[in-house]
Amino acid sequence: MNKKYSFYRTTHKWTSSLLLSTFALVILLFTAAPGSAITIQEFPLTTINSWPLGITTGPDRNIWFAESNNNKIGRITPEGIISELPLPEGFNQPNAIASGSDKNLWVTLFGARIGRMSPSGTFTEFVVTANSIAWAYGNGITSGPDGNLWFTQPMQHKIGQITPAGVVTEFDLPTSGGQLAGPVSITVGPDGNMWFTDRVLNSIGQITPSGVVTSFKISTPYCVPWGIATGPDGNLWFTESEAGKIGRITPDGIITEFITPSPNSGPLSIATGPDGNIWFVENWTNKIGRITPSGVITEFDVPTVDSGLESITAGPDGTLWFTEGKANKIGRISLSVSVPTLTEWGMIFFMILAGGYSLYRLRHKHKLNY
């Protein structure tokens, strides 16, 4: 083989290896586990004392929320611009809200009713049951894998299903020890079933699309399970509001509990974040919590003191959004990006410098041999 060709071939391989190694180091440093820093920005609502509760990402990639005290549905863009859409006259008291498969927003209302709102503001109301007992605070709604909306009925002790056309089906929940069920939040599980928290029976429930219910008792007594969400690990994660714990349940029903660092934290809503962790709000300690799939918990203070944290959801732009009922605000969490430190930048610079010097010496030695 020609010596000159062999030299340039060797040099090219060595240079390529150096560049690839340096590039890999930069990628590793930027994609390492994120630090504990996050940025929280708050957006005040224009209507006073609206007390925002449920929150969800809409089909239009905006964030939608229920204003329980002023009979409105709110919308906030990823940039923080807020608009409010009034509901028809009446004591509606919107609570939980979810985005449906039909590209509309669905919301639970006072008086055993479900509302459907298009992104343009067109509103339709459906009466769920002839029993007009008002739903208590804490009912949830979510989109199911069957294209329908599923919701909890805590005062009726039922799980409800409503089609995009408004056809309602109700499923009675079994009693336990003479106690009636009290479902709160609901989500679709990794197994294609619906899972819900039951604050009265102190359990996690599973209901199939055909209405077959299975209940899993939580070992901590009177823990009052509240929010529930499917995690990135194929399990379901839930909050225990009275116990100050975060629970994890496998699709087979095996439950593990994790204590929050702050005692009496009062965790409520919970959601999976874009970073592969699970995020939740702590109503009593005014903190945002993050738990990794392995159970490591970190807490972050919310700027506004005693803000009345209620619900949290993942946004369309790599952020998380939450409601502050008492403070009358919507909060946005921007996750930190891992940026190399000065020491790490020094390592990168040293590799480039060392590689350049070695390349220079190699070329110099080649010239001397000719």
Side-chain angles (χ1 to χ4, degrees), residues 115-181:
R116 180 184 67 200
M117 177 175 278
S118 70
S120 62
T122 302
F123 186 78
T124 307
E125 187 177 287
F126 304 95
V127 176
V128 172
T129 175
N131 182 351
S132 61
I133 298 176
W135 286 333
Y137 167 72
N139 55 305
I141 187 168
T142 193
S143 183
D146 56 356
N148 299 316
L149 281 299
W150 290 72
F151 55 94
T152 58
Q153 299 172 260
M155 296 299 289
Q156 285 84 13
H157 325 293
K158 297 178 180 181
I159 296 295
Q161 175 202 74
I162 184 169
T163 69
V167 179
V168 176
T169 305
E170 296 175 290
F171 302 95
D172 291 318
L173 296 178
T175 61
S176 176
Q179 285 187 312
L180 297 173

Side-chain angles (χ1 to χ4, degrees), residues 249-264:
I249 182 170
T250 68
D252 297 327
I254 300 173
I255 295 177
T256 307
E257 297 171 284
F258 305 91
I259 302 174
T260 59
S262 296
N264 302 317

Side-chain angles (χ1 to χ4, degrees), residues 40 68 76 80 98 135 138 205 212 221 247 254-255 261 269 293 306 320 357:
I40 296 179
S68 62
I76 183 169
W135 286 333
V212 178
I254 300 173
I255 295 177
S269 176
D306 192 23
L320 292 115
Y357 178 73

Side-chain angles (χ1 to χ4, degrees), residues 149-369:
L149 281 299
W150 290 72
F151 55 94
T152 58
Q153 299 172 260
M155 296 299 289
Q156 285 84 13
H157 325 293
K158 297 178 180 181
I159 296 295
Q161 175 202 74
I162 184 169
T163 69
V167 179
V168 176
T169 305
E170 296 175 290
F171 302 95
D172 291 318
L173 296 178
T175 61
S176 176
Q179 285 187 312
L180 297 173
V184 183
S185 301
I186 189 167
T187 191
V188 58
D191 57 353
N193 296 313
M194 306 306 296
W195 290 72
F196 59 93
T197 53
D198 192 317
R199 62 186 177 88
V200 177
L201 301 184
N202 209 66
S203 63
I204 301 299
Q206 175 205 68
I207 182 169
T208 67
S210 60
V212 178
V213 178
T214 305
S215 184
F216 303 94
K217 199 75 173 178
I218 301 171
S219 59
T220 301
Y222 311 110
C223 68
V224 187
W226 201 265
I228 189 168
T230 295
D233 56 350
N235 298 311
L236 292 114
W237 293 75
F238 59 94
T239 59
E240 301 178 28
S241 59
E242 289 289 333
K245 295 180 180 180
I246 303 300
R248 179 184 65 203
I249 182 170
T250 68
D252 297 327
I254 300 173
I255 295 177
T256 307
E257 297 171 284
F258 305 91
I259 302 174
T260 59
S262 296
N264 302 317
S265 57
L268 293 180
S269 176
I270 191 168
T272 294
D275 58 347
N277 295 311
I278 301 94
W279 293 75
F280 54 95
V281 297
E282 297 181 6
N283 183 270
W284 297 349
T285 56
N286 204 57
K287 297 177 186 288
I288 299 294
R290 179 187 67 200
I291 183 168
T292 67
S294 61
V296 179
I297 298 177
T298 308
E299 297 172 319
F300 308 91
D301 290 317
V302 173
T304 300
V305 178
D306 192 23
S307 65
L309 299 173
E310 297 286 354
S311 299
I312 189 169
T313 190
D317 51 355
T319 57
L320 292 115
W321 295 76
F322 58 93
T323 54
E324 303 175 49
K326 191 173 182 179
N328 209 48
K329 297 178 179 179
I330 301 299
R332 181 180 64 197
I333 303 171
S334 299
L335 306 182
S336 62
V337 178
S338 183
V339 178
T341 63
L342 289 176
T343 301
E344 292 166 339
W345 278 119
M347 292 171 57
I348 297 172
F349 179 74
F350 175 77
M351 286 187 65
I352 296 174
L353 188 64
Y357 178 73
S358 299
L359 184 60
Y360 166 77
R361 292 288 298 170
L362 187 61
R363 288 181 177 274
H364 182 69
K365 181 178 179 181
H366 173 73
K367 289 180 179 180
L368 292 177
N369 290 334

